[in-house]
Amino acid sequence: MIDALPAQGVPAQQVLAELAAMREADLPTHGGRLFAYVYDPAVSGLDDLANSAYALSAHVNGLDPTAFPSLLMTENALVGAAARVLGAGPGTTAPDVVGSVTSGGTESLILAVKAARDARPEVEKPRLVAPVTAHAAFAKAAHYLGVHLDLVPVNATTFQADPVAMAAAITPDTVLVACSAPSYAHGVVDPVTEIAAAAAAVGVRCHVDACFGGWALPFLRRLGAENGEALPDFDFGVPGVTSISVDLHKYAYCPKGVSVLLHRDALLRRPQYFAFAEWPGYTMINPVISSTRSGGPIAAAFATLRHIGDEGYLRLAAQTRDAVRGLAQAVSEVDGLRLLAPAHTTVVCFTSDDPALDPFVLADELAARGWHTQPQLPFAGMPASIHLTVTASVAPQIAAFAPALADAAAAARTLGPTLLPPELLDMAASLTPDQLTPEFVAGLAETFGLAGDDARPGARMAVVNTVLSAAPPRLRERLLIEFVSLLQHPTFA
Ligand SMILES: *Cc1c(COP(=O)(O)O)cnc(C)c1O
């Protein structure tokens, strides 16, 4: 076991070598073969620039914007850039836009829900309306903030939010209506114009979650406009949109820890702040959840945006679009595979119509060939699928991906689908969350080779995914809590 607190300090070079050795077990963050978690533009020199900028400001504290004016300036510049990308700022229909830099999409969404809740203190039991395809972070926000989440079914073929059903779900207690541009799971842009109009008609705020694709969609729209292929309106140009979130650590290709939450005006933002003067220390005034905040991610984001520039992002979006088309083409060339939703943004999501070709087995076969995809469990009538988050770095990999996919599909067919003993499936379907003791889950993890020293990412996951698929969502949640809790334990040297 590696000791984080040795009796005598270890020389710097050795510590770095140890970290590098541990990093070797990780999935590859660069190279365009990991289709989730990471966003790689493959711009040479960008990592060095971001790392240097990060180091310059790592010890700057965002607690007090007057103490570190560099942080205030860079944050305001990031908010201004995000506003301009998202159809707001001088000369637009949203000239009074304001915003905050947060640590990530989840924090942006929690704050959007908090601002909406606290703007309506008279509502005793506040509610949030969102499509079932909305990011899980809305559920987390609702849970943390004591807001009831009303999830609305989506169109069964397009997976777009249904604006009529969304409108019908709004009650007098609804403080916020949310939609996605685009959704994470399928890369689908919701009908923002209709949803925002329905919310505005009854005086309710409307948040557009552009965390995922908010830095790609505007550039894809510009490219599409050149070719006469329109992507739908989703930004502050749409009347009734009151707030938008966009993660800079996704398609702005910044190091992790930066997202922007924009509000159409300062009045809408005010209830987002928390201030407290009733203690003997400094008066606390926080726009975001954290109080002490590192300037590192913000400086790195500023450097990244400034170095890539508007034209650079347009070029990266074109590369991403070409990669998406190449991947979609590769999928369509394999018998039995089918795109679950049209690949109009930065996601390629596909499923199998052939019972002999199990998507989870296919994902394992792809991983064995060095292509790391994200399996998605069946949910609400949607079949099991494979999700690919596509970034600019994927473009040069397409020629290698197509034959790898064909080969992996052939191998998956030979292996056949994962067939579990009926008793195990029955058990997965009928267990109650309370029956999942830590010991029970530890036994399961052992059985599947997911625990212990030889457990590695990239173990064959099809069996696990099949068991999870058989379990209702509540049970999936509890299983994974117990499993992750098993992994997260202190080590003692
Ligand atoms: C990633 C994502 C989020 C959450 O963002 P984190 O940065 O992971 O906290 C929210 N919404 C969408 C659509 C996302 O893709």
Side-chain angles (χ1 to χ4, degrees):
M1 280 309 158
I2 197 111
D3 189 355
L5 186 66
Q8 258 94 48
V10 169
Q13 284 308 321
Q14 187 186 332
V15 177
L16 282 177
E18 291 163 356
L19 280 170
M22 285 188 275
R23 287 275 290 102
E24 285 187 7
D26 294 349
L27 291 174
T29 57
H30 292 67
R33 286 170 165 250
L34 171 54
F35 295 97
Y37 313 115
V38 298
Y39 297 79
D40 178 14
V43 170
S44 73
L46 187 65
D47 278 354
D48 290 340
L49 169 66
N51 293 345
S52 302
Y54 199 111
L56 263 180
S57 295
H59 293 282
V60 162
N61 192 341
L63 179 66
D64 179 351
T66 64
F68 301 100
S70 72
L71 190 64
L72 185 61
M73 271 172 75
T74 43
E75 280 198 331
N76 285 343
L78 289 176
V79 171
R84 212 171 52 180
V85 164
L86 294 167
T92 70
T93 54
D96 302 322
V97 68
V98 295
S100 305
V101 176
T102 74
S103 66
T106 300
E107 186 177 7
S108 290
L109 296 186
I110 291 173
L111 291 169
V113 176
K114 179 209 178 312
R117 183 195 69 174
D118 291 355
R120 301 270 303 279
E122 77 288 358
V123 177
E124 277 174 22
K125 293 187 171 164
R127 306 179 80 92
L128 161 64
V129 170
V132 287
T133 48
H135 195 277
F138 282 112
K140 182 171 174 179
H143 178 74
Y144 277 21
L145 295 166
V147 171
H148 185 89
L149 178 60
D150 291 309
L151 287 176
V152 182
V154 297
N155 182 301
T157 45
T158 65
F159 302 130
Q160 282 185 305
D162 173 350
V164 175
M166 295 278 291
I170 301 174
T171 74
D173 291 338
T174 302
V175 296
L176 184 66
V177 173
C179 55
S180 316
S183 63
Y184 177 80
H186 310 117
V188 163
V189 182
D190 285 333
V192 175
T193 303
E194 289 88 341
I195 292 167
V202 288
V204 174
R205 291 179 183 223
C206 175
H207 181 81
V208 176
D209 177 10
C211 281
F212 177 63
W215 210 272
L217 200 50
F219 296 97
L220 292 173
R221 274 161 52 91
R222 271 159 63 182
L223 293 168
E226 287 166 14
N227 304 326
E229 303 162 2
L231 279 160
D233 294 336
F234 76 100
D235 63 13
F236 280 108
V238 177
V241 169
T242 53
S243 55
I244 306 184
S245 50
V246 57
D247 291 352
L248 302 188
H249 60 208
K250 291 181 180 162
Y251 283 96
Y253 297 116
C254 302
K256 304 267 183 279
V258 188
S259 170
V260 174
L261 171 61
L262 299 170
H263 296 274
R264 192 178 280 274
D265 61 47
L267 204 62
L268 288 162
R269 181 178 63 175
R270 184 167 305 150
Q272 180 191 314
Y273 284 93
F274 178 80
F276 194 73
E278 293 185 59
W279 76 303
Y282 55 88
T283 296
M284 196 162 84
I285 160 71
N286 292 154
V288 296
I289 295 177
S290 292
S291 206
T292 286
R293 293 187 288 138
S294 171
I298 292 155
F302 176 80
T304 302
L305 262 63
R306 230 179 123 64
H307 184 62
I308 294 179
D310 185 81
E311 278 181 22
Y313 283 114
L314 195 62
R315 194 179 61 245
L316 292 170
Q319 286 169 16
T320 305
R321 178 203 54 192
D322 293 348
V324 165
R325 287 181 183 164
L327 294 171
Q329 177 68 25
V331 167
S332 70
E333 282 166 6
V334 176
D335 278 346
L337 296 184
R338 160 175 74 85
L339 292 181
L340 202 51
H344 288 159
T345 61
T346 62
V347 171
V348 174
C349 178
F350 59 98
T351 188
S352 166
D353 287 331
D354 177 354
L357 180 52
D358 181 330
F360 299 144
V361 176
L362 176 58
D364 283 347
E365 287 301 316
L366 281 167
R369 289 162 178 74
W371 300 90
H372 305 281
T373 64
Q374 191 166 54
Q376 296 184 143
L377 304 180
F379 170 71
M382 303 168 194
S385 61
I386 293 182
H387 166 109
L388 309 179
T389 286
V390 185
T391 57
S393 65
V394 174
Q397 300 293 333
I398 297 300
F401 179 80
L405 179 66
D407 190 47
R413 250 185 245 280
T414 306
L415 284 169
T418 307
L419 298 173
L420 294 180
E423 312 85 69
L424 186 58
L425 288 176
D426 287 348
M427 185 186 73
S430 63
L431 269 176
T432 63
D434 289 338
Q435 290 171 300
L436 291 180
T437 59
E439 295 73 27
F440 178 83
V441 174
L444 270 186
E446 185 120 335
T447 309
F448 293 138
L450 298 171
D453 292 340
D454 53 349
R456 284 176 51 88
R460 291 196 78 88
M461 293 299 291
V463 174
V464 175
N465 285 321
T466 306
V467 172
L468 287 172
S469 296
R474 285 284 166 273
L475 196 67
R476 297 177 186 175
E477 293 161 1
R478 189 57 185 273
L479 265 169
L480 290 171
I481 286 174
E482 292 300 342
F483 174 60
V484 174
S485 161
L486 194 70
L487 298 180
Q488 296 185 318
H489 59 82
T491 53
F492 299 100

